[in-house]
Amino acid sequence: MKAGFIQFTPELCNVDATMTRLDKLFKEAPEADLLVLPELCNSGYNFPTRKDAWGASEEISDSRFVTFLTEKCRERKMHVVSGFCERDGFKLFNSSILVGPNGFIGKYRKIHLFYNEKDIFSAGDAGLPVFTTPIGNIGMLVCFDWMFPEVWRILALKGADVICHTSALVLPGFAQRSVPVHALINHVYVITANRTGTEHGLTFTGMSTVANPKGEVVYQAAAASDEVSAFNFDLELVRNKFITPRNHIFEDRRPEAYEELLHL
Ligand code: ACM
């Protein structure tokens, strides 16, 4: 699998401007099977009010942004994971969507909401799915989920080859430092696609990161510029969970010793 990210600045509450920017970046992109875009890519991030978020949200089944991504995937024979401001009934979710050449495949709804997101979005209620695709097994997390090791572990145990981490990170490099460790201890590839720019005083930290199952940083982008990158991923490496001939990182787990975790 060849996979990477598009780091850029979506335009707050202006999906047309965002699609114009993305169109140009897709044209500059290297050939890839999978590209990951930032959090809330169709809407921007720092909404002054929930009403602004509502106005910028879309239903997945009636989304110009999903149609746009589908066209790109069809043209380029690829898959895309993107952050998505999702409307469902009266609720808003900070979601990630997986799109392929035949359209929408699946979604994840951000479980751990960050700061003012708690005034706008409902916490994710759609579990932690892993999608089997012709290019590999894809799991998704969104930004502040980086802080919670449990969700990374669940996706890895469900067979994710790549965890696509759509992001709008604002804390100084914390997530970028944690991502190679999540990749190492779960023996998966991770793509953190972060965004750039400033919205209403909030500056995003860029430094999108690709990490491999050995915990190595394959690549880290600059803090403030647009970037499109893709790298070769070794699916045989990721699926072999032995770290020594006698240590399989999943079979050596002792879930009965962790039961307390449910009650603490
Ligand atoms: C974040 O979760 N957007 C920091």
Side-chain angles (χ1 to χ4, degrees):
M1 183 197 300
K2 192 164 178 198
F5 60 83
I6 298 182
Q7 170 173 298
F8 80 117
T9 306
E11 183 74 25
L12 186 62
C13 298
N14 187 342
V15 72
D16 288 297
T18 296
M19 290 192 292
T20 301
R21 274 180 207 168
L22 270 178
D23 198 43
K24 180 167 167 290
L25 291 163
F26 272 116
K27 287 194 176 97
E28 291 167 10
E31 244 181 62
D33 301 304
L34 171 68
L35 288 175
V36 185
L37 312 183
E39 180 177 8
L40 293 174
C41 191
N42 61 330
S43 61
Y45 181 83
N46 196 17
F47 307 104
T49 66
R50 187 175 189 276
K51 208 168 155 208
D52 296 298
W54 183 264
S57 65
E58 297 174 285
E59 289 180 15
I60 290 173
S61 59
D62 182 27
S63 160
R64 290 169 57 221
F65 192 67
V66 172
T67 302
F68 167 80
L69 293 181
T70 303
E71 279 166 15
K72 295 294 147 201
C73 288
R74 193 169 298 146
E75 280 166 27
R76 299 176 56 90
K77 298 187 179 56
M78 64 178 298
H79 288 64
V80 166
V81 168
S82 176
F84 187 80
C85 185
E86 185 196 356
R87 185 190 307 177
D88 183 1
F90 293 107
K91 289 185 175 176
L92 295 178
F93 293 96
N94 183 340
S95 298
S96 259
I97 53 171
L98 172 63
V99 178
N102 297 322
F104 171 75
I105 295 171
K107 65 170 183 277
Y108 161 71
R109 291 172 164 170
K110 184 176 187 177
I111 290 174
H112 304 102
L113 298 175
F114 183 71
Y115 211 72
N116 291 342
E117 291 172 30
K118 294 181 179 189
D119 302 329
I120 294 173
F121 296 104
S122 301
D125 61 0
L128 290 155
V130 171
F131 297 95
T132 303
T133 77
I135 60 165
N137 302 332
I138 312 281
M140 297 181 274
L141 293 175
V142 180
C143 208
F144 191 50
D145 287 327
W146 71 265
M147 191 77 199
F148 302 89
E150 296 85 352
V151 291
W152 298 84
R153 181 64 105 202
I154 288 169
L155 291 177
L157 287 167
K158 285 179 159 179
D161 297 311
V162 184
I163 297 181
C164 300
H165 181 217
T166 58
S167 294
L169 294 158
V170 294
L171 300 175
F174 295 168
Q176 290 93 336
R177 289 209 290 280
S178 82
V179 156
V181 179
H182 289 305
L184 173 65
I185 65 180
N186 292 295
H187 204 73
V188 292
Y189 284 96
V190 179
I191 303 170
T192 294
N194 196 22
R195 55 162 295 175
T196 51
T198 298
E199 289 175 352
H200 299 291
L202 196 63
T203 296
F204 304 95
T205 56
M207 297 169 65
S208 293
T209 301
V210 177
N212 69 20
K214 297 177 183 170
E216 295 162 341
V217 175
V218 174
Y219 184 75
Q220 190 160 72
S225 49
D226 289 353
E227 277 196 56
V228 191
S229 295
F231 305 89
N232 289 318
F233 287 6
D234 178 353
L235 296 192
E236 271 181 41
L237 170 70
V238 79
R239 288 176 188 178
N240 177 1
K241 302 295 186 192
F242 284 96
I243 194 159
T244 76
R246 298 190 59 194
N247 293 97
H248 185 282
I249 63 158
F250 291 167
E251 286 167 13
D252 279 6
R253 294 169 62 249
R254 293 284 173 261
E256 65 281 7
Y258 319 145
E259 257 167 34
E260 273 184 297
L261 192 55
L262 291 175
H263 313 293
L264 290 172

